[in-house]
Amino acid sequence: MNVITPFEGIGARVRRKEDLRFLSGRGQYTDDINRPGQAHAWILRSQHAHARILSIDTAVAAAMPGVVAIFTSADLTAIGGIPCGWQIHNKDGTPMAEPKHPVLAEGKVRHVGDPVAVVIAETRTQARDAGEAIQVEFEVLSGVSGTTAALDPAAPRVHDDVTGNLCYDWHIGDKAVTDAAFAQAAHRVVFETTNNRLVPNAMEPRCAVGDYDTTTGEHTLFTTSQNPHVIRLLMGAFVLNIPESKLRVVAPDVGGGFGSKIYHYAEEAIVTWAAAKLGRAVKWTSDRTEAFVSDAHGRDHVTRAELALDKEGTFLGLRVHTQANMGAYLSTFAPCVPTYLYATLLAGVYATPAIYAEVKAVFTHTVPVDAYRGAGRPEATYLLERLVDVAAKQCGFDKLALRRRNFIATDAFPYQTPVALEYDSGDYFSTLDQALETAGWADFEARRTEAAGRGRLRGIGISTYLEACGIAPSAVVGSLGARAGLYEVGTIRVHPTGSITVLTGSHSHGQGHETTFAQLVCDKLGVPISQVDIVHGDTAKVPFGMGTYGSRSLAVGGSAMDKAMDKIITKGKRIAAHLMEASVEDIEFDRGTFRVAGTDKTKALAEISLAAYVPHNYPHDELEPGLEETAFYDPKNFTYPGGCHIAEVEIEKETGRVTLINFTAVDDVGRVINPMIVEGQVQGGIAQGVGQALLENCIYDEEGQLLSGSMMDYAMPRADDLAPVSVATHTTLCTHNPLGVKGCGEVGAIGSPPAVINAVVDALRDYGVSHVEMPATAPKIWSIINGKSL
Amino acid sequence: MYDFAYHKPSSLAAAVSLLSADPDAKFISGGQTLLPALKHRLNKPTSVVDLTGIAEMRGIRREGNKLVIGALTKHVEVATSAEVKAAIPALAQMAATIGDTQVRNRGTMGGSVANNDPAADYPAAVLGLGATIVTSKRKIAADDFFVSMFTTALEVDELLVAVEFPIPEKAGYAKMRNPASRYVMAGAFVSKGPMGLRVAINGAAACVFRQTDMEAALASNWSPEAAAGVKQSADEMNGDIHGSAEYRAHLVSVMAKRAVIAAG
Ligand SMILES: Cc1cc2nc3c(=O)[nH]c(=O)nc-3n(C[C@H](O)[C@H](O)[C@H](O)COP(=O)(O)OP(=O)(O)OC[C@H]3O[C@@H](n4cnc5c(N)ncnc54)[C@H](O)[C@@H]3O)c2cc1C
């Protein structure tokens, strides 16, 4: 066997290959790209939440220095609206309301930040100067920002043709069976909550550069995207009518996405279209202020849930009514987030036999809301894990015992939930036990007593969660309304002397794919990771792939690579058999070496690849030259990571300030390829989850003015808001993908918020508090402690 | 940012005459307040007069029972100065908590005091110690200097040159930060010394102010409980998405108590 030392294969704690580039400032981000002759775009955005555009006068602006062109919707009549990638059907089978999402506002603006006009000038400053000189006459209309308020028949309408601002009224589960379960229940627990709206705030703001080759008619878009092929498909086919062969989309190094860079945005279409129109490249770069009003937001649910339990605490049924804020327009995947990524997760880790959920999606005069790290699963997890704690308290059960009583048994897999999903594997008892041990759960009361001596209320909270990753079987999502496939593609290109280039349809925007994927190749083909290069993010280089979101890269993209490697091995064996004059059945392969079974006759992979590309002595009748294979992998199911998170907090009684003291995570993410990268992903996710639980809140006034429109008012978590985080894994393998992997990108953001809030509520146990809404800010807690209304 | 002319005079007189000649010009020191405002196009000066070349505005020195701090002194310099730590440790500690490392490496005392942001730190120390503002024209007592939100007694062409701090017997500062901006939600600076007993409150209202009831309570009983026992009325307090007026009023008492503890 060909053993590479130090070991760099599956399970090795290898340092990230890409970090040298990133940490030395040599990453190539979209804004680092400048094309010859490039002009700059600045977008005039609405300051109003809702207004009619009476007139737009660009005459003064157009005459200003450096201005190349000014466009409004009147110039875009030949192009389409921004498409939505998922269609949900109402309870009655009719399709959801899908009002037009114009690239530039047509007649009306519907949220603060809605683009009205674009100025293209020689410099960015000139474009902005001219943009500020555009005279727009608005008739300001009243607006509505909250979901419940928007559903009021008297509320202002976001779209004239959408009655009651209702996008859809959808449901899942068996209502009759669930109602029957409630009829027999010994206990019924009601829980109402709002899941706070979040602004993703990836470190790198969005950017798009459009270019056009007048000699070939080829368009190129460089963009901050998590899925360049999806952008090419949506923008080329639905917005600009450009054939795929003439449209290249490149997403180079991308500095964080968290979902917000999945979607097709107006600015991408604008720069691509304008570059062709003007015959020169056009660049647009968002600043942070603009990001607050133009990047899709996350979460924003209002929910009422009811749990039915029998006398002993066994869950009998769950009923959930949720209103989900879509914002003013449907962002690319918005409709599926509060439905198939949320309500299908409402069984969680529990064997609840009957579940029924209704979801109303609502238009409001706010920035569109779409998937944000976790996408639907954090909302479901938060709801369930708070509900279980509330039930334990209300009915007098121990919260751990109640969880254990209702966990899906470890031998019950595959487990069919009443809300469509079939879980393949998991072991919720072990992750719970391991986390309790690490967190010192048993000794908590002593720590609480000690804290009380310092005027502090200490609390501990737990969350036992499950999520669904690796989206998803194309046929299944297609039947549920997806307008795209959700397979992934991988190409393994073995070069003549044995080094390897991998082309993957996944996209890395911070996750470390260049390392993890290289480790997969190293493990299977025996090539050191220094000789394995991962290429992604360019539709001109990589076959049509679906990109990265939903923690799918390894589970789906990695599986595609694995299949492609199988094909390499199969072909390599045939070449080896020819070269070693053996029968192909007798050839064994292990980590880079082909061997005639039972002999010492071997050929290294590099010898086989050389023979494949210099095919002098080669089985030409049977095989084509070359050693390059592509595989498309369509998953058979979602993967189901899960685990247990425990948070410990202290509350300063005098001010209400909550401090996170420590955090314990034990996650089952399936097989771990690189433990260090998994830890980093989980820690980052927990930082975001703690941010949602304690700090972050995107606040609109009732009419739709954004009150938390900058970092001065939107509290992002910082290093000193966090605490030591202990991350461990406990593995059960995914049973249906070749790698046994489940995904780790979102578990942190999914599992942590309820653990933190459960800890806050526990800290307040002497104050008769049953719930604290996120974020648990100091004034909120102080009001609770002092019995004041909020 | 809009275009503007840039000047870097090397004397006070030259700086003042640039402003007298052009009322739409702006001084810049550390730029930590002005630059973000310019970048957001909230301000459109015709020219920017950079003060950092003026030697008379630099330096930290002890003059008898006063500590004189030049307007251009950076937060990091105040935080680490042996002179400040010895004379008014509370001031050095305060400086160490302003903004972040980058801000402290550029922002200046003069810029902060002249700007009179209600949520800034230094105004509380200036008022709470009863300091004297030395300008290019005159000397102004702290009690007369802070007029209202972002407004001081400085005239358009008047420069803040230095701040003279009487050295107190004891002084202490405590604040609660806004979780988003990390500026002050409510803070209290207390001191006892040549200027009497002073309690200055920042962050909580539209302008830094003296809490005279607390001063009276502490004068008769210098103790954390005495400070905490005085309730601040919520009437003039700020209320916003980060906390109600009532909450800020409550914080005033808590911060005053902590400031007394810090002062010892
Ligand atoms: C991210 C961030 C966080 C911050 N956090 C805090 C905080 O927690 N607490 C806090 O107190 N501050 C904070 N600040 C503000 C910071 O302390 C600034 O440095 C300070 O408010 C202004 O000082 P400056 O030297 O940068 O002034 P500049 O920005 O240069 O000037 C500010 C204003 O004062 C005028 N000016 C400057 N110098 C003089 C002078 N000598 N005479 C007359 N007028 C003058 C200018 O014309 C301008 O109007 C923060 C700033 C940033 C960017």
Side-chain angles (χ1 to χ4, degrees):
Chain A
M1 188 171 111
N2 175 8
V3 180
I4 295 166
T5 42
F7 179 62
E8 295 178 330
I10 291 177
R13 200 173 263 278
V14 178
R15 287 206 188 163
R16 303 202 328 168
K17 290 176 70 176
E18 46 271 78
D19 283 346
L20 184 58
R21 177 164 98 248
F22 294 148
L23 297 177
S24 60
R26 279 175 287 177
Q28 270 290 310
Y29 296 88
T30 307
D31 193 51
D32 294 322
I33 292 168
N34 291 298
R35 306 297 297 164
Q38 170 179 293
H40 296 265
W42 188 79
I43 293 171
L44 177 67
R45 297 179 183 279
S46 173
Q47 308 284 330
H48 305 293
H50 190 200
R52 194 167 282 124
I53 301 171
L54 301 178
S55 66
I56 304 178
D57 183 350
T58 59
V60 173
M64 287 179 60
V67 174
V68 176
I70 300 180
F71 300 115
T72 67
S73 63
D75 302 293
L76 303 183
T77 48
I79 77 173
I82 297 171
C84 178
W86 202 296
Q87 186 180 47
I88 296 295
H89 287 82
N90 290 303
K91 287 174 183 163
D92 65 8
T94 56
M96 67 183 187
E98 199 173 347
K100 184 173 181 188
H101 182 180
V103 169
L104 293 173
E106 292 174 358
K108 260 189 177 184
V109 288
R110 297 187 173 84
H111 66 86
V112 171
D114 209 357
V116 175
V118 55
V119 183
I120 292 159
E122 297 298 337
T123 69
R124 209 172 155 203
T125 306
Q126 288 171 331
R128 184 169 177 183
D129 286 344
E132 290 176 355
I134 295 174
Q135 305 283 325
V136 186
E137 203 185 337
F138 287 109
E139 178 193 341
V140 178
L141 305 169
S142 53
V144 62
S145 65
T147 45
T148 310
L151 285 171
D152 185 325
R157 273 203 198 175
V158 181
H159 299 276
D160 295 340
D161 51 350
V162 181
T163 315
N165 294 318
L166 186 66
C167 174
Y168 56 75
D169 181 6
W170 171 93
H171 65 166
I172 191 169
D174 192 322
K175 183 169 191 308
V177 170
T178 309
D179 288 347
F182 274 82
Q184 310 164 12
H187 303 281
R188 291 176 196 197
V189 178
V190 177
F191 173 60
E192 291 179 336
T193 190
T194 297
N195 199 292
N196 42 331
R197 181 187 269 249
L198 305 172
V199 182
N201 274 315
M203 191 181 291
E204 178 206 23
R206 285 189 302 117
C207 177
V209 182
D211 202 357
Y212 182 66
D213 186 330
T214 50
T215 64
T216 61
E218 278 171 3
H219 304 257
T220 304
L221 169 67
F222 301 90
T223 182
T224 46
S225 175
Q226 301 177 212
N227 33 232
H229 279 100
V230 175
I231 303 305
R232 187 180 70 171
L233 175 67
L234 294 177
M235 183 176 80
F238 298 99
V239 188
L240 300 181
N241 280 313
I242 303 171
E244 267 118 327
S245 57
K246 292 287 188 202
L247 176 56
R248 175 182 175 200
V249 178
V250 185
D253 285 332
V254 172
F258 313 114
S260 71
K261 292 174 182 166
I262 297 173
Y263 324 118
H264 175 39
Y265 285 98
E267 297 83 4
E268 294 169 323
I270 289 169
V271 297
T272 307
W273 176 84
K277 173 105 181 155
L278 301 172
R280 60 190 289 194
V282 176
K283 175 189 259 186
W284 167 81
T285 305
S286 172
D287 62 24
R288 184 63 61 189
T289 310
E290 197 170 11
F292 268 86
V293 296
S294 68
D295 293 0
H297 292 173
R299 320 270 196 269
D300 203 342
H301 280 193
V302 177
T303 295
R304 177 186 161 88
E306 300 161 273
L307 182 66
L309 303 88
D310 74 6
K311 228 167 57 258
E312 283 79 35
T314 302
F315 299 165
L316 301 176
L318 174 67
R319 272 196 298 240
V320 174
H321 311 268
T322 291
Q323 296 167 359
N325 200 333
M326 295 282 103
Y329 304 102
L330 292 178
S331 174
T332 310
F333 288 114
C336 85
V337 177
T339 50
Y340 295 108
L341 294 178
Y342 164 71
T344 50
L345 272 296
L346 287 170
V349 291
Y350 307 110
T352 313
I355 300 176
Y356 176 72
E358 302 180 289
V359 178
K360 286 190 167 83
V362 186
F363 291 110
T364 62
H365 292 107
T366 64
V367 171
V369 180
D370 206 326
Y372 167 65
R373 200 170 193 171
R377 293 99 85 209
E379 295 90 309
T381 301
Y382 179 71
L383 185 71
L384 274 180
E385 290 306 296
R386 284 293 302 124
L387 182 56
V388 172
D389 260 33
V390 169
K393 189 163 192 169
Q394 180 181 320
C395 311
F397 297 116
D398 173 77
K399 51 191 151 192
L400 301 182
L402 186 63
R403 283 178 167 85
R404 285 198 180 100
R405 163 176 281 274
N406 288 286
F407 277 168
I408 296 161
T410 307
D411 61 5
F413 296 97
Y415 174 81
Q416 176 65 53
T417 74
V419 276
L421 300 179
E422 187 188 89
Y423 304 161
D424 64 331
S425 66
D427 176 2
Y428 315 128
F429 295 90
S430 296
T431 45
L432 171 64
D433 289 342
Q434 196 177 325
L436 293 173
E437 174 71 33
T438 309
W441 182 278
D443 316 322
F444 170 74
E445 291 307 319
R447 298 196 289 280
R448 182 170 158 90
T449 308
E450 181 277 331
R454 292 181 279 116
R456 295 192 169 222
L457 306 167
R458 193 157 169 136
I460 192 164
I462 192 163
S463 146
T464 48
Y465 75 95
L466 165 141
E467 60 135 334
C469 285
I471 51 176
S474 294
V476 173
V477 294
S479 72
L480 303 178
R483 289 164 169 162
L486 283 167
Y487 64 86
E488 195 48 88
V489 63
T491 296
I492 304 289
R493 180 176 293 161
V494 186
H495 297 290
T497 60
S499 65
I500 291 180
T501 298
V502 179
L503 313 179
T504 172
S506 293
H507 187 278
S508 185
H509 28 281
Q511 296 90 338
H513 293 177
E514 289 168 41
T515 307
T516 306
F517 288 0
Q519 287 182 258
L520 292 182
V521 174
C522 169
D523 200 82
K524 191 147 176 164
L525 299 183
V527 178
I529 62 172
S530 62
Q531 289 176 38
V532 182
D533 285 291
I534 311 295
V535 173
H536 66 93
D538 186 343
T539 61
K541 292 182 181 164
V542 176
F544 192 116
M546 293 308 298
T548 288
Y549 35 83
S551 308
R552 70 194 300 275
S553 299
L554 188 59
V556 190
S559 294
M561 286 169 48
D562 191 69
K563 274 185 71 180
M565 286 193 281
D566 285 340
K567 292 187 186 179
I568 292 284
I569 293 166
T570 301
K571 183 169 179 181
K573 281 183 177 173
R574 294 175 69 181
I575 300 170
H578 173 85
L579 293 177
M580 296 190 280
E581 296 173 339
S583 122
V584 73
E585 292 74 39
D586 291 337
I587 305 293
E588 294 169 343
F589 178 76
D590 187 31
R591 292 190 187 176
T593 304
F594 294 90
R595 173 187 303 275
V596 180
T599 75
D600 55 5
K601 282 167 81 175
T602 63
K603 288 276 176 198
L605 178 62
E607 295 173 89
I608 299 300
S609 58
L610 193 65
Y613 289 101
V614 188
H616 297 162
N617 173 18
Y618 199 76
H620 285 287
D621 294 344
E622 303 168 35
L623 286 181
E624 295 169 8
L627 197 55
E628 168 167 332
E629 297 288 347
T630 294
F632 288 78
Y633 173 79
D634 205 285
K636 298 189 189 70
N637 191 354
F638 287 88
T639 63
Y640 299 98
C644 179
H645 288 184
I646 296 176
E648 214 163 310
V649 302
E650 280 186 7
I651 292 172
E652 191 178 75
K653 259 204 280 195
E654 274 184 329
T655 61
R657 205 186 124 137
V658 182
T659 306
L660 184 71
I661 302 295
N662 57 52
F663 198 97
T664 304
V666 179
D667 301 299
D668 177 0
V669 298
R671 176 169 283 129
V672 173
I673 309 300
N674 183 326
M676 188 174 66
I677 288 181
V678 168
E679 285 160 19
Q681 286 289 308
V682 174
Q683 283 172 358
I686 289 169
Q688 280 171 309
V690 170
Q692 169 162 31
L694 296 181
L695 294 157
E696 297 182 54
N697 204 9
C698 177
I699 304 175
Y700 281 94
D701 75 5
E702 286 175 13
E703 296 255 329
Q705 270 302 325
L706 182 58
L707 302 181
S708 54
S710 80
M711 297 291 187
M712 291 297 280
D713 288 307
Y714 185 86
M716 289 292 286
R718 300 180 209 196
D720 65 356
D721 290 314
L722 295 162
V725 174
S726 150
V727 178
T729 53
H730 172 91
T731 302
T732 65
L733 295 178
C734 170
T735 60
H736 56 79
N737 67 38
L739 299 170
V741 298
K742 297 185 176 181
C744 68
E746 295 162 294
V747 294
I750 292 168
S752 58
V756 174
I757 296 296
N758 284 341
V760 169
V761 173
D762 180 54
L764 297 172
R765 62 170 91 141
D766 297 339
Y767 294 85
V769 179
S770 57
H771 181 52
V772 175
E773 291 278 37
M774 298 190 288
T777 61
K780 200 180 273 178
I781 303 295
W782 177 78
S783 301
I784 291 170
I785 290 175
N786 291 285
K788 314 234 181 226
S789 60
L790 293 174
Chain B
M1 203 178 284
Y2 298 106
D3 286 350
F4 50 77
Y6 173 80
H7 306 283
K8 192 172 179 184
S10 52
S11 74
L12 271 181
V16 168
S17 68
L18 280 164
L19 261 281
S20 317
D22 178 2
D24 292 328
K26 270 270 180 202
F27 295 125
I28 190 165
S29 291
Q32 295 304 289
T33 292
L34 187 60
L35 276 176
L38 294 180
K39 285 187 173 176
H40 282 108
R41 297 191 159 198
L42 299 172
N43 218 315
K44 196 178 179 176
T46 46
S47 60
V48 166
V49 179
D50 185 345
L51 303 176
T52 58
I54 304 174
E56 300 135 272
M57 294 174 64
R58 293 196 177 275
I60 299 175
R61 48 188 192 277
R62 178 102 184 224
E63 288 179 4
N65 63 348
K66 283 187 304 194
L67 189 66
V68 182
I69 300 186
L72 288 175
T73 309
K74 292 171 183 167
H75 307 337
V76 64
E77 292 166 341
V78 174
T80 54
S81 153
E83 204 78 76
V84 180
K85 283 187 193 169
I88 319 177
L91 186 60
Q93 283 155 17
M94 168 190 271
T97 67
I98 299 176
D100 51 38
T101 307
Q102 289 85 342
V103 169
R104 291 193 291 274
N105 282 335
R106 291 213 59 97
T108 68
M109 177 172 286
S112 176
V113 175
N115 192 49
N116 192 19
D117 184 328
D121 288 282
Y122 276 146
V126 171
L127 189 63
L129 288 163
T132 299
I133 310 295
V134 182
T135 81
S136 50
K137 292 188 179 160
R138 54 187 165 147
K139 288 195 174 189
I140 309 172
D143 287 328
D144 303 323
F145 184 78
F146 300 104
V147 175
S148 62
M149 181 154 64
F150 295 111
T151 308
T152 66
L154 286 177
E155 288 162 16
V156 183
D157 61 350
E158 189 172 11
L159 267 175
L160 197 161
V161 177
V163 183
E164 297 178 351
F165 292 97
I167 293 167
E169 253 171 67
K170 38 175 86 174
Y173 179 58
K175 66 174 166 180
M176 171 100 167
R177 286 189 170 99
N178 174 315
S181 71
R182 300 276 177 109
Y183 275 81
V184 185
M185 284 261 283
F189 195 103
V190 302
S191 80
K192 199 172 169 180
M195 300 304 290
L197 201 152
R198 299 173 75 95
V199 179
I201 305 298
N202 58 345
C207 186
V208 62
F209 66 97
R210 285 177 67 180
Q211 223 301 356
T212 46
D213 294 345
M214 281 182 189
E215 289 177 356
L218 286 171
S220 57
N221 172 15
W222 176 265
S223 71
E225 296 72 34
V230 176
K231 295 287 162 252
Q232 167 68 45
S233 150
D235 288 350
E236 305 279 303
M237 298 289 103
N238 298 333
D240 56 29
I241 58 172
H242 304 291
S244 63
E246 189 187 12
Y247 180 62
R248 281 200 175 74
H250 164 75
L251 287 182
V252 166
S253 303
V254 177
M255 295 307 136
K257 170 181 138 185
R258 292 182 183 180
V260 173
I261 294 172

